[in-house]
Each structure stands twice: as structure tokens, then as C-alpha cells.
Amino acid sequence: MKFIVAVQEPVTDGLTDAEPSWRDLHAIELERPLIDAEMDLLDVQISLLDRPASELGQRRLRRAANKVLAARRTVANRLGTGEAA
């Protein structure tokens, strides 16, 4: 019987610290409004999957999409001014 083994080194073998750094956590916190807006948009999209499109559903979808765009603009402006660094 032949055993098949991996020829490469494991990708995670050299990690000494698996915790996120304070810079990673800070970047996540700066993007938190965008993450929340994208989750809200996804919730609306999921809720509209099994229903016929109504005026209220369309309005909720537009509002959630506009919220994502506004959050993206805010995050991009922060990154452009160097606030994230």
C-alpha cells in the first residue's frame, strides 16, 4: 500500500501569532458602518427572494443600496485623508 502525502509545507505552519494586530482591528472598526450597511442590504435582498416585487420592497432595496453607497463613500474619504493610517 502506498501512502499519499503532501509535498508542500503547510501554509499556516509558520504562523507564530494567529491573533489580529491592533492595525487590523482598527481597520475593521473604520469599515464597520460599511459592513453593517452591506449586511442590511443582504437581509433585504434575501427577504425579497421569495416574494413578488412590491413598491415597499423596491423602496427598502433602494434605501439599503443607498446606505451602502454612502458608507462606501465615507470609508473611501477616510482612506483618502489618511485617517485610517
Side-chain angles (χ1 to χ4, degrees):
M1 177 184 285
K2 273 188 155 180
F3 291 102
I4 300 173
V5 295
V7 182
Q8 299 174 302
E9 290 291 320
V11 176
T12 57
D13 190 36
L15 290 179
T16 57
D17 186 19
E19 297 292 322
S21 69
W22 66 271
R23 288 180 192 257
D24 296 333
L25 294 174
H26 182 67
I28 291 169
E29 283 303 312
L30 287 176
E31 292 183 10
R32 174 55 58 190
L34 176 59
I35 294 168
D36 291 340
E38 287 176 339
M39 286 176 30
D40 291 343
L41 176 61
L42 185 61
D43 286 343
V44 171
Q45 289 171 333
I46 289 170
S47 71
L48 295 176
L49 282 176
D50 60 347
R51 296 187 188 136
S54 67
E55 183 61 34
L56 180 62
Q58 299 256 344
R59 223 179 300 158
R60 287 180 58 215
L61 185 60
R62 278 194 309 270
R63 193 175 304 127
N66 288 337
K67 188 176 173 184
V68 168
L69 291 175
R72 283 183 183 165
R73 182 184 64 233
T74 303
V75 169
N77 287 340
R78 284 183 183 165
L79 293 176
T81 60
E83 185 178 327

